[in-house]
Amino acid sequence: MLRSILTPLCAAAALVVGLAGPARAADYPSQPVKLVTAFGAGSASDIVARLIGERLQAALGQVVIVENRPGASGQVAADLVARAQPDGYTIMLATNTTHSSNPYLYKNLRYNPVKDFTPLVQVCNFPFVLVVSAKLPIQNVQDLLAYGRANPSSLNYAYGNSTGQISAASFDKMTGLGAAAIPYKSTPQAMTDIIGGRATFMFVDLASAAAQIQAGSLKALAVSTEKRSALAPNLPSVSEALGQPGFDLAAWVGIFGPAKLPEPIAKRLADELYRIVSSNEIKQKLTQMGAEPTPAPASAFGPFVAQQEKVWGDKVKQAGIQPE
């Protein structure tokens, strides 16, 4: 008799549970969505997140809050999102720092960049530029080399993310300068010390540095891509300036949710985000800020992320950086 009573009750409970998931997905979103960024206010990631967040808010009919969580080369933000409830209310604008480089820069990473996330959309690439303070008597890459060799004890480079770190370490190794590395919590802080002369040089994304370059407080010497960038056609590439091929570094940007995001919610977010980043308006704004639009749907972004982890692992090893 007990079995005869429990069986229909269990069946009813299973039906309720089965209906709850799709019902919640159908109601999504019913509360504000948090878009987490791994770097500070004023960084390229922050600018892109706010640009997309504004459009995503209109598309979802719900508030989208951009939350800056800088620290430990993006580990703070990535760990937060990896451990968040997979309900679509916490997503992340991430970069190759968090999802390609960190597994090779740190011995103990608390998150897995592939297994702990749901890829939603690829957004853009950021070419990096080699910059120095306008106060220094440096006009080009060769001047920087001469300055470094004349001032070896005070020569150093700043970085606020892994692309800046790997680019500078690769440049330092290629030129044999022997500069000291100075890490910063985020790119704007590193740029401040470059401008003030407390650090000698850095590689920074063009989007973050453009205003300071135009204002004359930073001097751009070269781009980090193999060839000249259409975004800064007057600047030589590092390879061109050194007369040595093989220097080719640029950052990628994309948006993820936590792993196990319910398929209806993941699809809603992925579809809305891809529509946003594929629009002419967003592509034009990204280009104007110094980014190269590379919109790709979740189906293509996932394999790209897995492939990029190996690519950046090779770059870290080639730069001679030892994991911390």
Side-chain angles (χ1 to χ4, degrees):
M1 181 178 292
L2 182 60
R3 181 181 298 175
S4 65
I5 294 172
L6 289 176
T7 300
L9 287 175
C10 291
L15 179 61
V16 171
V17 171
L19 289 174
R24 284 195 297 270
D27 293 340
Y28 176 83
S30 59
Q31 64 188 58
V33 174
K34 184 163 57 179
L35 176 55
V36 178
T37 70
F39 302 102
S43 64
S45 294
D46 174 68
I47 297 167
V48 173
R50 294 181 189 282
L51 184 66
I52 293 174
E54 184 179 343
R55 276 74 182 173
L56 184 60
Q57 179 169 297
L60 296 178
Q62 188 58 260
V63 174
V64 174
I65 302 167
V66 174
E67 183 173 306
N68 301 94
R69 286 296 187 101
S73 285
Q75 290 185 73
V76 173
D79 186 55
L80 171 71
V81 176
R83 296 172 184 275
Q85 285 294 321
D87 53 14
Y89 292 106
T90 302
I91 59 178
M92 177 183 186
L93 188 130
T95 71
N96 57 288
T97 290
T98 55
H99 282 67
S100 300
S101 306
N102 278 354
Y104 300 92
L105 293 172
Y106 297 93
K107 294 177 182 178
N108 299 305
L109 206 61
R110 294 180 61 189
Y111 64 91
N112 184 298
V114 174
K115 294 180 181 178
D116 290 344
F117 295 87
T118 300
L120 297 173
V121 72
Q122 186 176 352
V123 179
C124 62
N125 286 343
F126 284 122
F128 273 52
V129 288
L130 170 59
V131 298
V132 297
S133 170
K135 298 175 183 178
L136 293 177
I138 296 172
Q139 302 300 323
N140 51 50
V141 172
Q142 294 303 321
D143 284 350
L144 174 59
L145 300 184
Y147 178 87
R149 287 163 185 152
N151 301 275
S153 61
S154 60
L155 185 66
N156 53 51
Y157 60 83
Y159 65 86
N161 54 43
S162 73
T163 307
Q165 178 185 9
I166 295 166
S167 297
S170 298
F171 178 80
D172 189 61
K173 185 177 181 181
M174 184 179 284
T175 58
L177 281 174
I182 307 177
Y184 288 81
K185 197 171 184 179
S186 196
T187 294
Q189 295 167 315
M191 281 198 300
T192 297
D193 273 8
I194 290 287
I195 292 168
R198 290 176 289 276
T200 313
F201 69 91
M202 73 179 290
F203 281 82
V204 59
D205 55 275
L206 185 57
S208 295
Q212 299 292 352
I213 293 169
Q214 291 169 4
S217 53
L218 281 178
K219 196 177 299 177
L221 307 181
V223 293
S224 65
T225 46
E226 178 71 29
K227 298 178 180 178
R228 293 194 180 207
S229 170
L231 298 174
N234 295 328
L235 289 179
S237 67
V238 169
S239 289
E240 179 185 348
L242 294 176
Q244 299 181 49
F247 196 101
D248 187 16
L249 291 150
W252 60 259
V253 176
I255 298 178
F256 298 83
K260 300 180 181 179
L261 201 59
E263 195 278 333
I265 292 176
K267 186 177 188 307
R268 173 80 190 280
L269 281 168
D271 288 349
E272 295 289 7
L273 286 166
Y274 183 60
R275 181 185 59 78
I276 289 168
V277 301
S278 298
S279 69
N280 288 332
E281 178 209 10
I282 292 299
K283 287 194 285 189
Q284 288 173 2
K285 287 184 179 295
L286 288 172
T287 301
Q288 289 168 1
M289 66 176 281
E292 298 172 344
T294 58
S299 58
F301 184 41
F304 171 82
V305 173
Q307 179 259 350
Q308 284 292 298
E309 187 176 340
K310 181 182 183 306
V311 168
W312 282 88
D314 290 342
K315 292 180 186 297
V316 171
K317 292 171 187 175
Q318 289 165 8
I321 301 173
Q322 296 301 312
E324 298 178 10

